Amino acid sequence: MYKILRDPGHMELALVAGIDPQSEGLARARSLGIPASHEGIAAVLADPEIKIVFDATSAKAHVRHARLLREAGKIAVDLTPAARGPYVVPPVNLGQHLDEPNVNLITCGGQATIPLVYAVSRVTPVRYAEIVSTVASKSAGPGTRQNIDEFTFTTARGLEALGGAQQGKAIIILNPAEPPILMRNTIYVIPAGDFDKDAVVASVEQMVADVQRYVPGYRLKSAPVFDRRSTPWGERVVIAMLLEVTGAGDFLPPYSGNLDIMTAAARQVGELFARHLLGVREEVVA
């Protein structure tokens, strides 16, 4: 809500819907003059003027919502790991699925790490990619906690489908530390053969800059580390990258980088769909 209000682009925020009549989010929306409803998906379906819907419920709920929104002729931008539509990560494939009724933003871990795996794979084939996303326990709501299995599966498939890895693996850790930690991601990439280290570093640095255009708090903690070690595929060079994401603090605390990167990506995707629906012709980078 806050990201669209700050930079609406070609979108107009028409409704905020939830299921809790006492929701703080709905109260905030109303205080800003935005229509709000506690009738959930029913309120969205009842408004024929709504064309783009951001679904941030849960994987289980979105399975039902996806069908209802498609039948109503609305575009769903899915922020859950339900994976009912093609995967989209803005700096990797933004603009490739504009005719789809439903696109999936994978997970916060996927939005953070897939760009860097892709940055390596566009230089050299990747045999294996493994990511570990650690987020503050306070920034993991009930939907995230219910969807741990979907998170690991969908993120791993995203590492393959978009990241370019032949095999992917994902792990999520909810850290209860006080004060809450920032979102941290460790990415391990095993290239399939020899490669140019300088080309990999340049590709990764360019990708970090691309993501920072819409997530300013996205940064590598250090340059990629290249370490030769024994792997299931023989002795290979393993590329390790340490990534940290600080949220913009629009409403959620800055330590909630995991949530910020999802909402920032959703706004990017929604804006492109809005331009497409309005017939605005502008160059798409990815």
Side-chain angles (χ1 to χ4, degrees), residues 108-132:
C108 58
Q111 289 294 328
T113 63
I114 288 172
L116 298 187
V117 176
Y118 174 77
V120 176
S121 71
R122 65 186 175 185
V123 172
T124 183
V126 169
R127 179 63 188 81
Y128 178 77
E130 178 176 317
I131 70 98
V132 181

mmCIF file with all atom_site columns, all heavy atoms in Angstrom, residues 108-132:
data_model
loop_
_atom_site.group_PDB
_atom_site.id
_atom_site.type_symbol
_atom_site.label_atom_id
_atom_site.label_alt_id
_atom_site.label_comp_id
_atom_site.label_asym_id
_atom_site.label_entity_id
_atom_site.label_seq_id
_atom_site.pdbx_PDB_ins_code
_atom_site.Cartn_x
_atom_site.Cartn_y
_atom_site.Cartn_z
_atom_site.occupancy
_atom_site.B_iso_or_equiv
_atom_site.pdbx_formal_charge
_atom_site.auth_seq_id
_atom_site.auth_comp_id
_atom_site.auth_asym_id
_atom_site.auth_atom_id
_atom_site.pdbx_PDB_model_num
ATOM 1   N N   . CYS A 1 108 ? 10.571 -14.525 -0.760  1.00 0.00 ? 108 CYS A N   1
ATOM 2   C CA  . CYS A 1 108 ? 11.540 -13.469 -0.460  1.00 0.00 ? 108 CYS A CA  1
ATOM 3   C C   . CYS A 1 108 ? 12.957 -13.965 -0.723  1.00 0.00 ? 108 CYS A C   1
ATOM 4   O O   . CYS A 1 108 ? 13.794 -13.244 -1.283  1.00 0.00 ? 108 CYS A O   1
ATOM 5   C CB  . CYS A 1 108 ? 11.381 -12.994 0.977   1.00 0.00 ? 108 CYS A CB  1
ATOM 6   S SG  . CYS A 1 108 ? 11.571 -14.293 2.229   1.00 0.00 ? 108 CYS A SG  1
ATOM 7   N N   . GLY A 1 109 ? 13.234 -15.210 -0.329  1.00 0.00 ? 109 GLY A N   1
ATOM 8   C CA  . GLY A 1 109 ? 14.554 -15.775 -0.590  1.00 0.00 ? 109 GLY A CA  1
ATOM 9   C C   . GLY A 1 109 ? 14.840 -15.883 -2.074  1.00 0.00 ? 109 GLY A C   1
ATOM 10  O O   . GLY A 1 109 ? 15.974 -15.651 -2.519  1.00 0.00 ? 109 GLY A O   1
ATOM 11  N N   . GLY A 1 110 ? 13.814 -16.215 -2.846  1.00 0.00 ? 110 GLY A N   1
ATOM 12  C CA  . GLY A 1 110 ? 13.991 -16.304 -4.294  1.00 0.00 ? 110 GLY A CA  1
ATOM 13  C C   . GLY A 1 110 ? 14.254 -14.945 -4.910  1.00 0.00 ? 110 GLY A C   1
ATOM 14  O O   . GLY A 1 110 ? 15.146 -14.789 -5.753  1.00 0.00 ? 110 GLY A O   1
ATOM 15  N N   . GLN A 1 111 ? 13.490 -13.926 -4.486  1.00 0.00 ? 111 GLN A N   1
ATOM 16  C CA  . GLN A 1 111 ? 13.702 -12.585 -5.032  1.00 0.00 ? 111 GLN A CA  1
ATOM 17  C C   . GLN A 1 111 ? 15.100 -12.066 -4.702  1.00 0.00 ? 111 GLN A C   1
ATOM 18  O O   . GLN A 1 111 ? 15.698 -11.324 -5.482  1.00 0.00 ? 111 GLN A O   1
ATOM 19  C CB  . GLN A 1 111 ? 12.644 -11.617 -4.492  1.00 0.00 ? 111 GLN A CB  1
ATOM 20  C CG  . GLN A 1 111 ? 11.247 -11.831 -5.041  1.00 0.00 ? 111 GLN A CG  1
ATOM 21  C CD  . GLN A 1 111 ? 11.147 -11.548 -6.524  1.00 0.00 ? 111 GLN A CD  1
ATOM 22  O OE1 . GLN A 1 111 ? 11.847 -10.696 -7.066  1.00 0.00 ? 111 GLN A OE1 1
ATOM 23  N NE2 . GLN A 1 111 ? 10.279 -12.281 -7.210  1.00 0.00 ? 111 GLN A NE2 1
ATOM 24  N N   . ALA A 1 112 ? 15.627 -12.452 -3.549  1.00 0.00 ? 112 ALA A N   1
ATOM 25  C CA  . ALA A 1 112 ? 16.945 -11.977 -3.141  1.00 0.00 ? 112 ALA A CA  1
ATOM 26  C C   . ALA A 1 112 ? 18.081 -12.720 -3.835  1.00 0.00 ? 112 ALA A C   1
ATOM 27  O O   . ALA A 1 112 ? 19.078 -12.104 -4.240  1.00 0.00 ? 112 ALA A O   1
ATOM 28  C CB  . ALA A 1 112 ? 17.096 -12.096 -1.625  1.00 0.00 ? 112 ALA A CB  1
ATOM 29  N N   . THR A 1 113 ? 17.945 -14.038 -3.982  1.00 0.00 ? 113 THR A N   1
ATOM 30  C CA  . THR A 1 113 ? 19.098 -14.842 -4.412  1.00 0.00 ? 113 THR A CA  1
ATOM 31  C C   . THR A 1 113 ? 19.098 -15.249 -5.873  1.00 0.00 ? 113 THR A C   1
ATOM 32  O O   . THR A 1 113 ? 20.171 -15.406 -6.469  1.00 0.00 ? 113 THR A O   1
ATOM 33  C CB  . THR A 1 113 ? 19.200 -16.114 -3.550  1.00 0.00 ? 113 THR A CB  1
ATOM 34  O OG1 . THR A 1 113 ? 18.023 -16.928 -3.766  1.00 0.00 ? 113 THR A OG1 1
ATOM 35  C CG2 . THR A 1 113 ? 19.304 -15.777 -2.073  1.00 0.00 ? 113 THR A CG2 1
ATOM 36  N N   . ILE A 1 114 ? 17.934 -15.427 -6.470  1.00 0.00 ? 114 ILE A N   1
ATOM 37  C CA  . ILE A 1 114 ? 17.878 -15.858 -7.869  1.00 0.00 ? 114 ILE A CA  1
ATOM 38  C C   . ILE A 1 114 ? 18.612 -14.892 -8.798  1.00 0.00 ? 114 ILE A C   1
ATOM 39  O O   . ILE A 1 114 ? 19.314 -15.337 -9.717  1.00 0.00 ? 114 ILE A O   1
ATOM 40  C CB  . ILE A 1 114 ? 16.419 -16.092 -8.310  1.00 0.00 ? 114 ILE A CB  1
ATOM 41  C CG1 . ILE A 1 114 ? 15.878 -17.365 -7.655  1.00 0.00 ? 114 ILE A CG1 1
ATOM 42  C CG2 . ILE A 1 114 ? 16.303 -16.196 -9.839  1.00 0.00 ? 114 ILE A CG2 1
ATOM 43  C CD1 . ILE A 1 114 ? 14.397 -17.592 -7.856  1.00 0.00 ? 114 ILE A CD1 1
ATOM 44  N N   . PRO A 1 115 ? 18.510 -13.558 -8.590  1.00 0.00 ? 115 PRO A N   1
ATOM 45  C CA  . PRO A 1 115 ? 19.261 -12.662 -9.465  1.00 0.00 ? 115 PRO A CA  1
ATOM 46  C C   . PRO A 1 115 ? 20.763 -12.958 -9.489  1.00 0.00 ? 115 PRO A C   1
ATOM 47  O O   . PRO A 1 115 ? 21.402 -12.875 -10.544 1.00 0.00 ? 115 PRO A O   1
ATOM 48  C CB  . PRO A 1 115 ? 18.968 -11.276 -8.886  1.00 0.00 ? 115 PRO A CB  1
ATOM 49  C CG  . PRO A 1 115 ? 17.620 -11.416 -8.271  1.00 0.00 ? 115 PRO A CG  1
ATOM 50  C CD  . PRO A 1 115 ? 17.627 -12.795 -7.680  1.00 0.00 ? 115 PRO A CD  1
ATOM 51  N N   . LEU A 1 116 ? 21.342 -13.322 -8.339  1.00 0.00 ? 116 LEU A N   1
ATOM 52  C CA  . LEU A 1 116 ? 22.780 -13.560 -8.297  1.00 0.00 ? 116 LEU A CA  1
ATOM 53  C C   . LEU A 1 116 ? 23.154 -14.900 -8.920  1.00 0.00 ? 116 LEU A C   1
ATOM 54  O O   . LEU A 1 116 ? 24.207 -15.031 -9.549  1.00 0.00 ? 116 LEU A O   1
ATOM 55  C CB  . LEU A 1 116 ? 23.291 -13.472 -6.858  1.00 0.00 ? 116 LEU A CB  1
ATOM 56  C CG  . LEU A 1 116 ? 23.096 -12.105 -6.191  1.00 0.00 ? 116 LEU A CG  1
ATOM 57  C CD1 . LEU A 1 116 ? 23.780 -12.073 -4.833  1.00 0.00 ? 116 LEU A CD1 1
ATOM 58  C CD2 . LEU A 1 116 ? 23.618 -10.980 -7.072  1.00 0.00 ? 116 LEU A CD2 1
ATOM 59  N N   . VAL A 1 117 ? 22.304 -15.903 -8.748  1.00 0.00 ? 117 VAL A N   1
ATOM 60  C CA  . VAL A 1 117 ? 22.553 -17.185 -9.431  1.00 0.00 ? 117 VAL A CA  1
ATOM 61  C C   . VAL A 1 117 ? 22.445 -16.983 -10.936 1.00 0.00 ? 117 VAL A C   1
ATOM 62  O O   . VAL A 1 117 ? 23.272 -17.486 -11.710 1.00 0.00 ? 117 VAL A O   1
ATOM 63  C CB  . VAL A 1 117 ? 21.561 -18.260 -8.939  1.00 0.00 ? 117 VAL A CB  1
ATOM 64  C CG1 . VAL A 1 117 ? 21.750 -19.561 -9.725  1.00 0.00 ? 117 VAL A CG1 1
ATOM 65  C CG2 . VAL A 1 117 ? 21.752 -18.512 -7.442  1.00 0.00 ? 117 VAL A CG2 1
ATOM 66  N N   . TYR A 1 118 ? 21.445 -16.227 -11.362 1.00 0.00 ? 118 TYR A N   1
ATOM 67  C CA  . TYR A 1 118 ? 21.298 -15.919 -12.793 1.00 0.00 ? 118 TYR A CA  1
ATOM 68  C C   . TYR A 1 118 ? 22.495 -15.141 -13.316 1.00 0.00 ? 118 TYR A C   1
ATOM 69  O O   . TYR A 1 118 ? 22.961 -15.363 -14.436 1.00 0.00 ? 118 TYR A O   1
ATOM 70  C CB  . TYR A 1 118 ? 20.010 -15.127 -13.009 1.00 0.00 ? 118 TYR A CB  1
ATOM 71  C CG  . TYR A 1 118 ? 19.828 -14.634 -14.428 1.00 0.00 ? 118 TYR A CG  1
ATOM 72  C CD1 . TYR A 1 118 ? 19.415 -15.491 -15.432 1.00 0.00 ? 118 TYR A CD1 1
ATOM 73  C CD2 . TYR A 1 118 ? 20.082 -13.293 -14.752 1.00 0.00 ? 118 TYR A CD2 1
ATOM 74  C CE1 . TYR A 1 118 ? 19.252 -15.033 -16.734 1.00 0.00 ? 118 TYR A CE1 1
ATOM 75  C CE2 . TYR A 1 118 ? 19.926 -12.835 -16.042 1.00 0.00 ? 118 TYR A CE2 1
ATOM 76  C CZ  . TYR A 1 118 ? 19.507 -13.704 -17.027 1.00 0.00 ? 118 TYR A CZ  1
ATOM 77  O OH  . TYR A 1 118 ? 19.359 -13.258 -18.321 1.00 0.00 ? 118 TYR A OH  1
ATOM 78  N N   . ALA A 1 119 ? 23.025 -14.233 -12.487 1.00 0.00 ? 119 ALA A N   1
ATOM 79  C CA  . ALA A 1 119 ? 24.189 -13.441 -12.903 1.00 0.00 ? 119 ALA A CA  1
ATOM 80  C C   . ALA A 1 119 ? 25.381 -14.342 -13.206 1.00 0.00 ? 119 ALA A C   1
ATOM 81  O O   . ALA A 1 119 ? 26.170 -14.060 -14.116 1.00 0.00 ? 119 ALA A O   1
ATOM 82  C CB  . ALA A 1 119 ? 24.552 -12.437 -11.811 1.00 0.00 ? 119 ALA A CB  1
ATOM 83  N N   . VAL A 1 120 ? 25.519 -15.438 -12.457 1.00 0.00 ? 120 VAL A N   1
ATOM 84  C CA  . VAL A 1 120 ? 26.598 -16.391 -12.739 1.00 0.00 ? 120 VAL A CA  1
ATOM 85  C C   . VAL A 1 120 ? 26.265 -17.228 -13.972 1.00 0.00 ? 120 VAL A C   1
ATOM 86  O O   . VAL A 1 120 ? 27.107 -17.421 -14.858 1.00 0.00 ? 120 VAL A O   1
ATOM 87  C CB  . VAL A 1 120 ? 26.847 -17.311 -11.522 1.00 0.00 ? 120 VAL A CB  1
ATOM 88  C CG1 . VAL A 1 120 ? 27.922 -18.366 -11.863 1.00 0.00 ? 120 VAL A CG1 1
ATOM 89  C CG2 . VAL A 1 120 ? 27.265 -16.502 -10.302 1.00 0.00 ? 120 VAL A CG2 1
ATOM 90  N N   . SER A 1 121 ? 25.025 -17.700 -14.061 1.00 0.00 ? 121 SER A N   1
ATOM 91  C CA  . SER A 1 121 ? 24.665 -18.619 -15.150 1.00 0.00 ? 121 SER A CA  1
ATOM 92  C C   . SER A 1 121 ? 24.674 -17.945 -16.516 1.00 0.00 ? 121 SER A C   1
ATOM 93  O O   . SER A 1 121 ? 24.804 -18.633 -17.534 1.00 0.00 ? 121 SER A O   1
ATOM 94  C CB  . SER A 1 121 ? 23.288 -19.251 -14.890 1.00 0.00 ? 121 SER A CB  1
ATOM 95  O OG  . SER A 1 121 ? 22.247 -18.302 -15.044 1.00 0.00 ? 121 SER A OG  1
ATOM 96  N N   . ARG A 1 122 ? 24.539 -16.616 -16.565 1.00 0.00 ? 122 ARG A N   1
ATOM 97  C CA  . ARG A 1 122 ? 24.595 -15.962 -17.869 1.00 0.00 ? 122 ARG A CA  1
ATOM 98  C C   . ARG A 1 122 ? 26.048 -15.820 -18.347 1.00 0.00 ? 122 ARG A C   1
ATOM 99  O O   . ARG A 1 122 ? 26.292 -15.442 -19.494 1.00 0.00 ? 122 ARG A O   1
ATOM 100 C CB  . ARG A 1 122 ? 23.905 -14.601 -17.829 1.00 0.00 ? 122 ARG A CB  1
ATOM 101 C CG  . ARG A 1 122 ? 24.532 -13.537 -16.957 1.00 0.00 ? 122 ARG A CG  1
ATOM 102 C CD  . ARG A 1 122 ? 23.667 -12.289 -16.910 1.00 0.00 ? 122 ARG A CD  1
ATOM 103 N NE  . ARG A 1 122 ? 24.196 -11.279 -15.977 1.00 0.00 ? 122 ARG A NE  1
ATOM 104 C CZ  . ARG A 1 122 ? 23.565 -10.145 -15.696 1.00 0.00 ? 122 ARG A CZ  1
ATOM 105 N NH1 . ARG A 1 122 ? 22.401 -9.880  -16.266 1.00 0.00 ? 122 ARG A NH1 1
ATOM 106 N NH2 . ARG A 1 122 ? 24.098 -9.285  -14.839 1.00 0.00 ? 122 ARG A NH2 1
ATOM 107 N N   . VAL A 1 123 ? 26.992 -16.143 -17.456 1.00 0.00 ? 123 VAL A N   1
ATOM 108 C CA  . VAL A 1 123 ? 28.408 -16.145 -17.827 1.00 0.00 ? 123 VAL A CA  1
ATOM 109 C C   . VAL A 1 123 ? 28.897 -17.562 -18.100 1.00 0.00 ? 123 VAL A C   1
ATOM 110 O O   . VAL A 1 123 ? 29.642 -17.804 -19.052 1.00 0.00 ? 123 VAL A O   1
ATOM 111 C CB  . VAL A 1 123 ? 29.261 -15.501 -16.708 1.00 0.00 ? 123 VAL A CB  1
ATOM 112 C CG1 . VAL A 1 123 ? 30.758 -15.671 -16.997 1.00 0.00 ? 123 VAL A CG1 1
ATOM 113 C CG2 . VAL A 1 123 ? 28.918 -14.034 -16.557 1.00 0.00 ? 123 VAL A CG2 1
ATOM 114 N N   . THR A 1 124 ? 28.462 -18.510 -17.263 1.00 0.00 ? 124 THR A N   1
ATOM 115 C CA  . THR A 1 124 ? 28.915 -19.898 -17.387 1.00 0.00 ? 124 THR A CA  1
ATOM 116 C C   . THR A 1 124 ? 27.820 -20.831 -16.886 1.00 0.00 ? 124 THR A C   1
ATOM 117 O O   . THR A 1 124 ? 27.079 -20.478 -15.958 1.00 0.00 ? 124 THR A O   1
ATOM 118 C CB  . THR A 1 124 ? 30.204 -20.115 -16.580 1.00 0.00 ? 124 THR A CB  1
ATOM 119 O OG1 . THR A 1 124 ? 30.679 -21.451 -16.774 1.00 0.00 ? 124 THR A OG1 1
ATOM 120 C CG2 . THR A 1 124 ? 29.997 -19.874 -15.101 1.00 0.00 ? 124 THR A CG2 1
ATOM 121 N N   . PRO A 1 125 ? 27.644 -22.022 -17.467 1.00 0.00 ? 125 PRO A N   1
ATOM 122 C CA  . PRO A 1 125 ? 26.622 -22.961 -16.987 1.00 0.00 ? 125 PRO A CA  1
ATOM 123 C C   . PRO A 1 125 ? 26.818 -23.298 -15.509 1.00 0.00 ? 125 PRO A C   1
ATOM 124 O O   . PRO A 1 125 ? 27.943 -23.450 -15.034 1.00 0.00 ? 125 PRO A O   1
ATOM 125 C CB  . PRO A 1 125 ? 26.839 -24.195 -17.875 1.00 0.00 ? 125 PRO A CB  1
ATOM 126 C CG  . PRO A 1 125 ? 27.481 -23.660 -19.115 1.00 0.00 ? 125 PRO A CG  1
ATOM 127 C CD  . PRO A 1 125 ? 28.353 -22.529 -18.661 1.00 0.00 ? 125 PRO A CD  1
ATOM 128 N N   . VAL A 1 126 ? 25.697 -23.411 -14.779 1.00 0.00 ? 126 VAL A N   1
ATOM 129 C CA  . VAL A 1 126 ? 25.730 -23.683 -13.341 1.00 0.00 ? 126 VAL A CA  1
ATOM 130 C C   . VAL A 1 126 ? 25.205 -25.092 -13.080 1.00 0.00 ? 126 VAL A C   1
ATOM 131 O O   . VAL A 1 126 ? 24.077 -25.425 -13.456 1.00 0.00 ? 126 VAL A O   1
ATOM 132 C CB  . VAL A 1 126 ? 24.885 -22.638 -12.568 1.00 0.00 ? 126 VAL A CB  1
ATOM 133 C CG1 . VAL A 1 126 ? 24.696 -23.064 -11.112 1.00 0.00 ? 126 VAL A CG1 1
ATOM 134 C CG2 . VAL A 1 126 ? 25.546 -21.278 -12.640 1.00 0.00 ? 126 VAL A CG2 1
ATOM 135 N N   . ARG A 1 127 ? 26.039 -25.917 -12.435 1.00 0.00 ? 127 ARG A N   1
ATOM 136 C CA  . ARG A 1 127 ? 25.626 -27.283 -12.117 1.00 0.00 ? 127 ARG A CA  1
ATOM 137 C C   . ARG A 1 127 ? 24.712 -27.331 -10.908 1.00 0.00 ? 127 ARG A C   1
ATOM 138 O O   . ARG A 1 127 ? 23.768 -28.100 -10.868 1.00 0.00 ? 127 ARG A O   1
ATOM 139 C CB  . ARG A 1 127 ? 26.874 -28.147 -11.857 1.00 0.00 ? 127 ARG A CB  1
ATOM 140 C CG  . ARG A 1 127 ? 26.565 -29.601 -11.482 1.00 0.00 ? 127 ARG A CG  1
ATOM 141 C CD  . ARG A 1 127 ? 25.867 -30.309 -12.629 1.00 0.00 ? 127 ARG A CD  1
ATOM 142 N NE  . ARG A 1 127 ? 25.382 -31.637 -12.303 1.00 0.00 ? 127 ARG A NE  1
ATOM 143 C CZ  . ARG A 1 127 ? 24.251 -31.903 -11.671 1.00 0.00 ? 127 ARG A CZ  1
ATOM 144 N NH1 . ARG A 1 127 ? 23.462 -30.917 -11.255 1.00 0.00 ? 127 ARG A NH1 1
ATOM 145 N NH2 . ARG A 1 127 ? 23.865 -33.140 -11.447 1.00 0.00 ? 127 ARG A NH2 1
ATOM 146 N N   . TYR A 1 128 ? 25.006 -26.497 -9.902  1.00 0.00 ? 128 TYR A N   1
ATOM 147 C CA  . TYR A 1 128 ? 24.263 -26.574 -8.637  1.00 0.00 ? 128 TYR A CA  1
ATOM 148 C C   . TYR A 1 128 ? 24.237 -25.202 -7.967  1.00 0.00 ? 128 TYR A C   1
ATOM 149 O O   . TYR A 1 128 ? 25.225 -24.464 -8.004  1.00 0.00 ? 128 TYR A O   1
ATOM 150 C CB  . TYR A 1 128 ? 24.949 -27.585 -7.710  1.00 0.00 ? 128 TYR A CB  1
ATOM 151 C CG  . TYR A 1 128 ? 24.326 -27.747 -6.344  1.00 0.00 ? 128 TYR A CG  1
ATOM 152 C CD1 . TYR A 1 128 ? 23.156 -28.473 -6.171  1.00 0.00 ? 128 TYR A CD1 1
ATOM 153 C CD2 . TYR A 1 128 ? 24.928 -27.189 -5.208  1.00 0.00 ? 128 TYR A CD2 1
ATOM 154 C CE1 . TYR A 1 128 ? 22.596 -28.644 -4.900  1.00 0.00 ? 128 TYR A CE1 1
ATOM 155 C CE2 . TYR A 1 128 ? 24.378 -27.346 -3.944  1.00 0.00 ? 128 TYR A CE2 1
ATOM 156 C CZ  . TYR A 1 128 ? 23.213 -28.086 -3.794  1.00 0.00 ? 128 TYR A CZ  1
ATOM 157 O OH  . TYR A 1 128 ? 22.653 -28.251 -2.558  1.00 0.00 ? 128 TYR A OH  1
ATOM 158 N N   . ALA A 1 129 ? 23.103 -24.874 -7.367  1.00 0.00 ? 129 ALA A N   1
ATOM 159 C CA  . ALA A 1 129 ? 22.985 -23.632 -6.593  1.00 0.00 ? 129 ALA A CA  1
ATOM 160 C C   . ALA A 1 129 ? 22.234 -23.940 -5.300  1.00 0.00 ? 129 ALA A C   1
ATOM 161 O O   . ALA A 1 129 ? 21.192 -24.602 -5.321  1.00 0.00 ? 129 ALA A O   1
ATOM 162 C CB  . ALA A 1 129 ? 22.256 -22.554 -7.380  1.00 0.00 ? 129 ALA A CB  1
ATOM 163 N N   . GLU A 1 130 ? 22.770 -23.458 -4.207  1.00 0.00 ? 130 GLU A N   1
ATOM 164 C CA  . GLU A 1 130 ? 22.140 -23.659 -2.898  1.00 0.00 ? 130 GLU A CA  1
ATOM 165 C C   . GLU A 1 130 ? 22.090 -22.316 -2.176  1.00 0.00 ? 130 GLU A C   1
ATOM 166 O O   . GLU A 1 130 ? 23.080 -21.581 -2.148  1.00 0.00 ? 130 GLU A O   1
ATOM 167 C CB  . GLU A 1 130 ? 22.930 -24.663 -2.067  1.00 0.00 ? 130 GLU A CB  1
ATOM 168 C CG  . GLU A 1 130 ? 22.370 -24.886 -0.662  1.00 0.00 ? 130 GLU A CG  1
ATOM 169 C CD  . GLU A 1 130 ? 23.139 -25.957 0.095   1.00 0.00 ? 130 GLU A CD  1
ATOM 170 O OE1 . GLU A 1 130 ? 23.455 -26.993 -0.538  1.00 0.00 ? 130 GLU A OE1 1
ATOM 171 O OE2 . GLU A 1 130 ? 23.448 -25.757 1.287   1.00 0.00 ? 130 GLU A OE2 1
ATOM 172 N N   . ILE A 1 131 ? 20.941 -22.000 -1.602  1.00 0.00 ? 131 ILE A N   1
ATOM 173 C CA  . ILE A 1 131 ? 20.814 -20.740 -0.877  1.00 0.00 ? 131 ILE A CA  1
ATOM 174 C C   . ILE A 1 131 ? 20.279 -20.988 0.524   1.00 0.00 ? 131 ILE A C   1
ATOM 175 O O   . ILE A 1 131 ? 19.491 -21.909 0.760   1.00 0.00 ? 131 ILE A O   1
ATOM 176 C CB  . ILE A 1 131 ? 19.916 -19.729 -1.638  1.00 0.00 ? 131 ILE A CB  1
ATOM 177 C CG1 . ILE A 1 131 ? 18.436 -20.171 -1.635  1.00 0.00 ? 131 ILE A CG1 1
ATOM 178 C CG2 . ILE A 1 131 ? 20.401 -19.539 -3.057  1.00 0.00 ? 131 ILE A CG2 1
ATOM 179 C CD1 . ILE A 1 131 ? 17.556 -19.522 -0.598  1.00 0.00 ? 131 ILE A CD1 1
ATOM 180 N N   . VAL A 1 132 ? 20.759 -20.167 1.450   1.00 0.00 ? 132 VAL A N   1
ATOM 181 C CA  . VAL A 1 132 ? 20.253 -20.189 2.826   1.00 0.00 ? 132 VAL A CA  1
ATOM 182 C C   . VAL A 1 132 ? 19.786 -18.776 3.144   1.00 0.00 ? 132 VAL A C   1
ATOM 183 O O   . VAL A 1 132 ? 20.590 -17.838 3.167   1.00 0.00 ? 132 VAL A O   1
ATOM 184 C CB  . VAL A 1 132 ? 21.338 -20.627 3.826   1.00 0.00 ? 132 VAL A CB  1
ATOM 185 C CG1 . VAL A 1 132 ? 20.752 -20.659 5.238   1.00 0.00 ? 132 VAL A CG1 1
ATOM 186 C CG2 . VAL A 1 132 ? 21.914 -21.984 3.450   1.00 0.00 ? 132 VAL A CG2 1
#
